[in-house]
Amino acid sequence: MSDGATALVTGFEPFGGHRLNPSAEIATRLDGCRLGRVRVVGRVLPVDLVGLDAALDKVLTETRPDLVVALGLAASEPVIRLERVALNVADFTTPDNVGAVRRNAPLDPAGPDARFSRLPLEAILAATLAAGIPARLSETAGLYLCNALMYRLLGRLRPAIPGGFIHLPPLPGQIAEAIRHAGGRVAERGASLASMALELQARAVEIAIETTARGADASAVPNA
Amino acid sequence: MSDGATALVTGFEPFGGHRLNPSAEIATRLDGCRLGRVRVVGRVLPVDLVGLDAALDKVLTETRPDLVVALGLAASEPVIRLERVALNVADFTTPDNVGAVRRNAPLDPAGPDARFSRLPLEAILAATLAAGIPARLSETAGLYLCNALMYRLLGRLRPAIPGGFIHLPPLPGQIAEAIRHAGGRVAERGASLASMALELQARAVEIAIETTARGADASAVPNA
Amino acid sequence: MSDGATALVTGFEPFGGHRLNPSAEIATRLDGCRLGRVRVVGRVLPVDLVGLDAALDKVLTETRPDLVVALGLAASEPVIRLERVALNVADFTTPDNVGAVRRNAPLDPAGPDARFSRLPLEAILAATLAAGIPARLSETAGLYLCNALMYRLLGRLRPAIPGGFIHLPPLPGQIAEAIRHAGGRVAERGASLASMALELQARAVEIAIETTARGADASAVPNA
Amino acid sequence: MSDGATALVTGFEPFGGHRLNPSAEIATRLDGCRLGRVRVVGRVLPVDLVGLDAALDKVLTETRPDLVVALGLAASEPVIRLERVALNVADFTTPDNVGAVRRNAPLDPAGPDARFSRLPLEAILAATLAAGIPARLSETAGLYLCNALMYRLLGRLRPAIPGGFIHLPPLPGQIAEAIRHAGGRVAERGASLASMALELQARAVEIAIETTARGADASAVPNA
């Protein structure tokens, strides 16, 4: 990737009763950083299904990125989760931040059933693990706004621009607060109590940008 | 669906060290049954990624079905799992029954990224739950042979023919045998010890056929 | 065990919003049965921490059992769970059926910290698995009424009388109803969607009685 | 606790194929630290069931602690896990570091069935959560060496000396290494991929020592 390339990192606002969203924390934290020859621009998007497309379009127009890493929170995820695919469906009962819910609604009635990530997922996975940060590939980005953003992003970007979506675990403080809120008593909920420190999450996102900027093949998806 | 309609139910052979596969048990058990005006034909398919397409084509040519419900085992699944979508990827490290493994290989280099189920998933879900049988919709069929079969099936069937894939939990006897094999000591493995009795599984598959045959809309997927 | 021996099986009423409790279903179903030379008496106990001791004492006085198998529901358990030990603590935030909650309250301020089961757990485990029914040993019976009943029972029975506690999974219909109640949408909750058919559960309890009556050593606990 | 009080922190060597053990890392890291008026002594114990008692006795004799926090690794635990109780049983099929296994063996044939922690667990829980570190109380310390150490420790310490056991999650690097070792492909294993950064773990142990040294009541166990 040429000198002066721009990497766009997007996060989401907090939602669903959470006070924080690690994706917004990281987008804000990385905004303005340089990673090698890449300049990072961080933006926070609204948790608003209807308004999301216009918000994304505005950010893309303003920032004209050479690569895009979109981020979101996965509430019960213990590791950095590299999404392979976005589906052309929205289906969620937890309202978004403006009160919308959806049941089996197509995101784009004229669009394809799904779109594969155009990030070099295998290379990002290998580099993240080599840095001592737990990560995995994922076959589903859910059917909430994270999936909707990924689907829209991949339809909107020119094919030559690498882009995709990464789900992040909760922050330790979010889990501690949730347990306090429950009076210190949690049923044994396994993975739903997992978290990851912000520093590790931010480093993983930097690795994703650096790996993509180096021009690694988008090899974790077959026909990307 | 007209009188004398044919419903094809496919199962898979046992694989991965299992002695049984509930999907094969059910395909065999339902073979020759009548459900209302529908005649059921059950067939067992090989766990052989390369040979799977030809085996499926042969079964479809022989049976000329009016609807297809393909079945497979999901080893850690506690409920009947109705798959929404098949992805154009194979990625598995547990060899199939002829020793093949795959890493991010497209199933069809010229095919679309994914294909949505053409079964009336919402109606099947509602009817299954109403019968007292636990079930859920699923966003991923995995990247093993179950997904490959579903992807192929949906590419091969004429659009007017409803078809799709349902994952089944293990049988109780399979879990009991696995625990015995481990000397009676199991780490607390949560969902991976879940099972469902064959009678309930078979009834769920009948409900899927009956609901589909009644012409319910394929409403769990947006653009089906 | 001599001819005409009596086995007491206790279940609990439904609680916590459940309409059914498999333990009550089984206690009722087995009441009056004969298993070989053993006569089974089934009784249902109230979910009332304060009233539990008197209710248990009354049942023991009335039925004068030669062995006791107490049963209860474990809401997220996929298999028959043979409890090793009861602790001298109650700690629960979900009110019992008369509204009581407890936080780190001793069950008996003068009692020992814990009491081991006096059922032949290893032999029951082996026989249950051999019958094709998934089962496991467990290190904790929780801190709700199941544990309280087990602790009380083991303090109340003469040492020569075998007794203990077995946790049961939900019934399939309970899980189906819970999913319907959630509008057919469940987050991926793994083990919390697991269930077991009533027939298998009842057979497992019969096996526990038969195995205990045959005088198997209480070998799953070290100093029983 | 008086000036110049000594807090003993013990960890375990790596075991079961792990290269690291966070409990040993923390015992080593805290050794020689001062926390307020408390001097911390850290020691690493062998994963050797038979040799454990003598090793513990030697450490206690040498260090003459005023409070003891014993630590160990819980391989699938996402949070700091404060153990309530140790049972008088060893039962494990994964050999310890000298090759021993046990099946329902009493730790002390003349000992009580269980011993409650003598740390102020509720106060430690509250302080840990208030510091933003996820934590929970636990009803079982397992039946491996962690439980054996806790049982022995509580039998060996004078009742006036607070002591107990805390289980720690894996370190992020351990999970990353395990995923790499599996070729970057992990079945969705939920909680078994959870980890916590060493800094948070070490801070949680400091909080446990500080809270105990302040003389908080051992209030999470009823008769402590």
Side-chain angles (χ1 to χ4, degrees), chain D residues 138-155:
Chain D
S138 163
E139 281 69 71
T140 172
L143 299 177
Y144 195 56
L145 272 77
C146 292
N147 174 74
L149 173 62
M150 181 176 174
Y151 186 84
R152 174 73 173 186
L153 175 69
L154 291 165

Side-chain angles (χ1 to χ4, degrees), chain B residues 76-91:
Chain B
S76 296
E77 176 63 44
V79 306
I80 301 294
R81 189 170 123 194
L82 309 172
E83 299 298 348
R84 293 178 188 259
V85 65
L87 300 182
N88 188 8
V89 201
D91 190 332

Side-chain angles (χ1 to χ4, degrees), chain A residues 76 188-192, chain B residues 74-81 134-137 169-170 188-196, chain C residues 74-79 169-170 175 179 185-196, chain D residues 188-191:
Chain A
S76 296
E188 245 181 87
R189 295 187 303 161
S192 68
Chain B
S76 296
E77 176 63 44
V79 306
I80 301 294
R81 189 170 123 194
R136 68 178 182 99
L137 301 180
E188 247 183 84
R189 295 187 302 161
S192 68
L193 297 178
S195 62
M196 189 182 283
Chain C
S76 296
E77 177 63 43
V79 306
I175 298 298
I179 297 174
R185 291 298 182 272
V186 283
E188 245 181 87
R189 295 187 304 162
S192 68
L193 297 178
S195 63
M196 189 182 283
Chain D
E188 246 183 84
R189 295 187 304 161

Side-chain angles (χ1 to χ4, degrees), chain A residues 16 19 50 62 108 123 171 195 208 218:
Chain A
R19 280 195 315 127
V50 171
E62 284 175 9
D108 176 358
L171 300 170
S195 63

